[in-house]
């Protein structure tokens, strides 16, 4: 019963241009095959060659120690410091190279070279040390997307303190839960954050979160929005005042390869968020290599990853991966539609961005806002595009390729997770023929396969469970404080094999197609359908901007499909449209997938990271009171409206 039917048919394929291929780090199929085969058959040889590029303080003795599943140890005996990998190693030859081109939401900007960033990180590390933070301590970081956020992360790494970044859009309660779980003793924040011209009062949220939490001895606050803040003498320290007197000398703490670099919370399907633990050595090696090869980073690139540092994407592809490669990056503080819907493209043109990495939810928003916001901005500097976070529907992929990429930029659709630390399934832009909606092939060292519940391999094109059958360097090392849940969630389905929780299929070219979370699969009359495929069919209809599909209990068919649909501008909410959409899905996929009910809505409930909250929609579709954790929902109003719309 673990098989998922596969109904989406997509046959378009886009090989890279010879121009792109010739300049790429990995530039032929033969080279990819040779490297991939070595990374799987002789991982010690492959990863040793990669890891040698990092500045180890103490060389490692072993590359991979054979161990039970989930307990693999990488680069044993080695010592390094992640902030030194990102900063110190560049000082001699590239100190004056720009590390960050930062753009504030109100239109202010700053640029920082590697030498300047190094200086500020050293000073900040000294500030933290003077406040009593040392190796192994946990520090919560709750900040807007400002350069000080990257500094905070790297300053913790420099001291060997474990950072726990909490996305600045989360509530005081969510912050408090994470501070408690990680037993954090210091918090780095800002007075406020700019969001669509308004101030989000971050320091006030921190004050709320810390009520009754005297264990937190330090709150370091950056002045950003200059809103009034309450002050607790002894505990609260202004960032700028503390930095003024701080020394610029700070030797990086030598960290064992397996020492924890950071915790990052990800919401599980039930219950409290999991503090995913990442190591220093393996994580850095994985972030370094994937950033280099997937984004084909070169010395003169300007890389822009639009994610927030509060997500794993920002950890691995704003801070650690690109900086380990000495890249120049754009960092943007605000919303994509502030003050206008063309802001991203204005920024791309201003800084001549060459490699751009964003999420499908953003791409669909740009499509909805209209091409007129893209036109008029010179996007000719772009050479490579990326996507991450959800399956990207072919419509959005084609729009991205055409409207943003000018038909010339390869698109890397990268599948990975907070838990995997780095990209796992992806095209290599100089080699792989890309297909709209497919994340294509495994990255180096990733032994991916499609299995059924019993661990049997499924044939080509059969939908099943995605599995990773060998350890990889940037894999999670555990869940903070919950070893049992770690085993149970990721390592208990099949012996020795990692279970990511996603459904997928592999086509005849060896390309992977992610079918979404296994928990979301809908069972209609015994046919297991992927939500992603039905949604994709809906979005392909000209009147639809976004769609989310869930199952509702049905006496006859087990489950019936309910589709929540956001129509385009001026389409209205007519019965005809609903009917047209039902027929459209039946024609595209088959009668089986015809939604029993279509609900039109202006917006879908999403997490702060842009993922549609299907579990919540499931409760709404079934008409039951939800017991889901809704604290991470982006816009609470959406929920109220959806519940009211019972037709
Ligand atoms: C889940 C992980 C990895 C950084 C952001 C999300 C889904 C992620 C893709 C993709 C299809 C994708 C999966 C995965 N996902 N990337 N390219 N195609 N699905 O990190 O919050 O840990 O979520 O996001 O379902 O398991 P995350």
């Amino acid at each position: 019963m673990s098989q998922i039917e596969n109904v989406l048919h997509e046959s378009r394929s886009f090989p890279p241009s010879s121009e792109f291929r010739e300049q790429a780090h990995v530039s032929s199929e033969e080279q990819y095959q040779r490297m991939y085969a070595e990374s799987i058959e002789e991982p010690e040889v492959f990863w040793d060659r990669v890891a040698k590029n990092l500045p180890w303080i103490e060389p490692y003795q072993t590359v991979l120690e054979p161990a039970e599943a989930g307990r693999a140890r990488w680069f044993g005996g080695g010592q390094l410091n992640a902030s030194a990998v990102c900063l110190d190693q560049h000082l001699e030859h590239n100190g004056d190279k720009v590390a960050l081109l930062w753009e504030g939401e109100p239109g202010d900007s700053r640029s920082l070279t590697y030498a300047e960033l190094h200086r500020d990180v050293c000073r900040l590390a000294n500030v933290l040390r003077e406040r009593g933070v040392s190796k192994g301590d946990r520090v919560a970081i709750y900040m807007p997307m400002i350069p000080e956020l990257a500094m905070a992360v790297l300053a913790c790494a420099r001291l060997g303190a474990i950072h726990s970044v909490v996305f600045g859009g989360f509530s005081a309660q969510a912050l408090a839960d994470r501070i408690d779980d990680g037993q954090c003793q210091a918090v780095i924040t800002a007075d406020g954050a700019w969001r669509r011209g308004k101030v989000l009062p971050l320091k006030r949220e921190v004050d709320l979160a810390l009520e009754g939490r005297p264990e937190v001895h330090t709150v370091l606050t950056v002045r950003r929005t200059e809103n009034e803040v309450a002050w607790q003498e002894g505990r609260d320290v202004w960032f700028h005042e503390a930095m003024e007197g701080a020394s610029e000398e700070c030797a990086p703490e030598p960290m064992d390869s397996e020492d924890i670099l950071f915790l990052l919370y990800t919401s599980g399907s039930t219950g409290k968020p999991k503090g995913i633990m990442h190591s220093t050595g393996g994580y850095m090696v994985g972030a370094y290599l994937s950033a280099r090869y997937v984004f084909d980073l070169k010395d003169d690139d300007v890389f822009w990853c639009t994610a927030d540092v509060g997500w794993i994407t920002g950890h691995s592809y704003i801070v650690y991966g690109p900086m380990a490669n000495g890249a120049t990056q754009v960092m943007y503080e605000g919303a994509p539609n502030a003050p206008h819907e063309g802001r991203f493209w204005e920024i791309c043109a201003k800084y001549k961005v060459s490699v751009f990495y964003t999420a499908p939810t953003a791409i669909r928003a740009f499509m909805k806002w209209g091409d007129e916001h893209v036109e008029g901005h010179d996007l000719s500097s772009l050479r490579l595009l990326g996507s991450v976070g959800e399956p990207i529907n072919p419509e959005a992929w084609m729009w991205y390729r055409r409207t943003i990429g000018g038909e010339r930029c390869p698109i890397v659709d990268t599948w990975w997770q907070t838990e995997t630390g780095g990209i796992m399934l992806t095209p290599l832009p100089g080699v792989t023929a890309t297909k709209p909606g497919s994340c294509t092939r495994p990255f180096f060292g990733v032994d991916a396969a499609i299995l059924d519940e019993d661990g049997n391999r499924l044939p080509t094109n059969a939908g099943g469970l995605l599995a990773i059958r060998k350890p990889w360097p940037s894999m999670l090392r555990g869940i903070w404080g919950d070893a049992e849940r770690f085993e149970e969630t990721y390592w208990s389905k099949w012996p020795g094999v990692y279970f990511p929780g996603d459904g997928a299929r592999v086509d005849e070219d060896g390309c992977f197609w992610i079918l979404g979370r296994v928990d979301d699969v809908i069972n209609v009359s015994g046919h297991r359908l992927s939500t992603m495929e039905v949604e994709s069919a809906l979005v392909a209809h000209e009147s639809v901007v976004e769609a989310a599909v869930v199952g509702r209990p049905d006496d006859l068919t087990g489950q019936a499909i309910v589709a929540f649909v956001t129509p385009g501008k001026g389409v209205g909410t007519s019965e005809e449209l609903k009917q047209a959409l039902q027929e459209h899905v039946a024609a595209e996929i088959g009668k089986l997938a015809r939604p029993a009910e279509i609900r039109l809505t202006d917006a879908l409930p999403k997490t702060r990271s842009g993922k549609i909250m299907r579990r919540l929609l499931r409760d709404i579709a079934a008409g039951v009171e939800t017991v889901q954790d809704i604290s991470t929902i982006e816009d609470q109003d959406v929920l109220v409206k959806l519940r009211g719309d019972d037709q």
Side-chain angles (χ1 to χ4, degrees):
M1 277 319 281
S2 56
Q3 302 219 358
I4 305 169
E5 282 185 40
N6 139 239
V7 289
L8 184 79
H9 302 287
E10 175 59 62
S11 52
R12 290 169 287 194
S13 166
F14 300 89
S17 66
S18 54
E19 200 187 343
F20 193 101
R21 176 162 9 98
E22 275 154 27
Q23 60 78 56
H25 283 307
V26 183
S27 58
S28 71
E29 178 65 18
E30 187 268 322
Q31 186 190 359
Y32 165 75
Q33 292 294 352
R34 183 165 30 83
M35 290 173 73
Y36 181 73
E38 184 187 59
S39 75
I40 297 298
E41 285 151 28
E42 298 175 282
E44 290 87 352
V45 178
F46 180 89
W47 289 111
D48 179 42
R49 194 169 336 99
V50 175
K52 282 206 172 94
N53 292 299
L54 299 195
W56 294 84
I57 299 170
E58 191 63 50
Y60 44 86
Q61 306 300 313
T62 54
V63 172
L64 171 60
E65 283 160 51
E68 232 177 87
R71 297 218 178 76
R73 290 168 51 84
W74 290 87
F75 310 110
Q79 289 194 319
L80 77 171
N81 180 285
S83 91
V85 175
C86 291
L87 302 171
D88 304 43
Q89 67 158 329
H90 307 310
L91 294 182
E92 195 183 337
H93 300 294
N94 275 321
D96 293 334
K97 183 173 176 181
V98 173
L100 290 178
L101 293 161
W102 176 80
E103 178 86 0
E105 191 184 86
D108 49 341
S109 60
R110 275 168 77 185
S111 113
L112 280 132
T113 64
Y114 273 96
E116 289 166 333
L117 192 57
H118 173 264
R119 181 201 60 204
D120 286 347
V121 166
C122 287
R123 288 160 77 197
L124 180 53
N126 284 324
V127 168
L128 292 171
R129 180 178 280 153
E130 271 161 40
R131 296 290 308 186
V133 174
S134 60
K135 181 171 173 173
D137 291 351
R138 274 81 60 206
V139 176
I141 299 177
Y142 181 68
M143 292 175 81
M145 281 284 285
I146 54 179
E148 288 82 355
L149 169 51
M151 287 172 203
V153 164
L154 290 167
C156 288
R158 199 158 190 91
L159 295 177
I162 297 172
H163 57 75
S164 169
V165 183
V166 179
F167 174 57
F170 278 149
S171 64
Q173 188 56 51
L175 175 61
D177 291 345
R178 288 158 177 76
I179 288 173
D180 283 348
D181 188 79
Q183 302 132 297
C184 298
Q185 292 178 11
V187 178
I188 309 175
T189 189
D191 51 359
W194 288 113
R195 199 69 188 169
R196 298 196 174 89
K198 292 210 188 77
V199 171
L200 295 181
L202 295 186
K203 172 66 164 66
R204 197 177 74 194
E205 297 294 307
V206 171
D207 290 339
L208 277 171
L210 294 185
E211 271 172 21
R213 288 183 175 78
E215 347 36 285
V216 175
H217 55 65
T218 297
V219 175
L220 194 58
T221 304
V222 176
R223 198 159 64 191
R224 170 62 186 145
T225 46
E226 311 206 357
N227 51 318
E228 276 213 31
V229 293
W231 211 248
Q232 184 171 317
E233 284 309 325
R235 186 195 71 182
D236 293 355
V237 181
W238 279 114
F239 186 97
H240 60 278
E241 286 176 4
M243 289 286 274
E244 228 164 74
S247 158
E248 297 175 11
E249 302 285 321
C250 179
E253 184 75 31
M255 301 297 286
D256 286 343
S257 179
E258 283 294 326
D259 279 342
I260 299 306
L261 176 59
F262 63 84
L263 297 183
L264 185 61
Y265 286 84
T266 178
S267 46
S269 50
T270 53
K272 70 178 194 126
K274 301 174 276 198
I276 302 299
M277 291 155 51
H278 278 290
S279 71
T280 307
Y283 173 80
M284 287 305 295
V285 169
Y288 160 79
L289 191 78
S290 53
R292 186 175 189 80
Y293 283 166
V294 175
F295 300 116
D296 194 43
L297 290 178
K298 305 287 165 47
D299 196 39
D300 56 357
D301 271 316
V302 178
F303 180 59
W304 184 16
C305 165
T306 71
D308 194 286
V309 171
W311 314 123
I312 190 69
T313 308
H315 281 60
S316 301
Y317 301 110
I318 295 178
V319 182
Y320 291 115
M323 290 194 188
N325 282 282
T328 295
Q329 294 183 84
V330 167
M331 181 179 188
Y332 171 55
E333 179 183 34
N337 54 354
H340 56 79
E341 280 84 2
R343 187 69 192 271
F344 271 20
W345 320 120
E346 187 178 81
I347 293 172
C348 280
K350 175 172 173 184
Y351 294 109
K352 301 198 163 39
V353 171
S354 57
V355 182
F356 178 77
Y357 190 33
T358 197
T361 181
I363 297 168
R364 288 190 297 262
F366 301 137
M367 283 175 75
K368 170 166 131 186
W369 294 336
D371 292 8
E372 64 270 25
H373 301 289
V374 184
E375 285 153 14
H377 299 289
D378 178 7
L379 298 181
S380 61
S381 56
L382 288 172
R383 67 182 194 91
L384 176 58
L385 302 176
S387 169
V388 62
E390 283 176 284
I392 178 167
N393 50 296
E395 288 301 305
W397 196 100
M398 290 302 294
W399 181 90
Y400 196 28
R401 178 180 159 84
R402 197 170 48 239
T403 313
I404 305 303
E407 320 252 7
R408 87 191 160 269
C409 303
I411 297 177
V412 287
D413 174 4
T414 61
W415 177 89
W416 58 297
Q417 307 178 296
T418 305
E419 292 87 339
T420 68
I423 291 167
M424 301 292 277
L425 300 172
T426 179
L428 287 180
V431 175
T432 317
T434 56
K435 304 181 186 188
S438 170
C439 54
T440 74
R441 301 192 291 189
F443 187 63
F444 300 122
V446 176
D447 183 13
I450 308 299
L451 306 180
D452 67 12
E453 286 285 341
D454 303 325
N456 303 309
R457 232 182 142 153
L458 292 177
T460 299
N461 279 323
L465 309 175
L466 179 59
I468 313 291
R469 301 183 297 179
K470 282 200 166 68
W472 65 100
S474 65
M475 64 199 277
L476 76 168
R477 297 305 199 267
I479 296 176
W480 183 260
D482 203 341
E484 215 171 291
R485 194 172 176 198
F486 172 62
E487 290 292 330
E488 162 68 27
T489 310
Y490 305 110
W491 304 101
S492 64
K493 193 172 278 295
W494 314 288
V497 174
Y498 175 78
F499 174 52
D502 281 10
R505 71 175 165 101
V506 181
D507 71 15
E508 47 290 339
D509 300 322
C511 287
F512 285 74
W513 298 76
I514 302 293
L515 299 169
R517 303 293 299 170
V518 177
D519 299 344
D520 291 337
V521 167
I522 305 175
N523 194 327
V524 186
S525 309
H527 298 275
R528 288 166 54 89
L529 297 170
S530 126
T531 53
M532 192 282 278
E533 297 198 319
V534 183
E535 286 161 10
S536 208
L538 281 162
V539 176
H541 190 278
E542 55 189 10
S543 306
V544 175
V545 171
E546 200 157 41
V549 156
V550 296
R552 169 188 78 191
D554 186 280
D555 290 343
L556 210 62
T557 55
Q559 282 188 308
I561 296 179
V562 179
F564 293 81
V565 168
T566 307
K569 276 187 213 145
V571 178
T573 56
S574 67
E575 281 310 309
E576 284 110 83
L577 174 61
K578 292 184 186 178
Q579 245 178 34
L581 293 178
Q582 286 170 317
E583 294 324 316
H584 171 76
V585 175
E588 287 277 299
I589 300 181
K591 285 220 173 66
L592 173 75
R594 185 180 195 277
E597 189 187 329
I598 304 257
R599 294 203 191 186
L600 301 174
T601 167
D602 330 326
L604 295 168
K606 291 188 186 166
T607 64
R608 300 264 174 180
S609 60
K611 287 198 201 333
I612 295 168
M613 299 175 90
R614 290 188 191 76
R615 282 177 289 134
L616 200 62
L617 290 174
R618 216 142 57 204
D619 290 343
I620 293 171
V624 299
E625 204 47 49
T626 191
V627 291
Q628 311 288 343
D629 171 19
I630 54 163
S631 65
T632 59
I633 191 170
E634 214 233 327
D635 180 358
Q636 299 277 351
D637 286 354
V638 172
L639 197 58
V640 176
K641 282 193 201 144
L642 280 170
R643 282 195 181 128
D645 174 28
D646 268 334
Q647 310 180 38

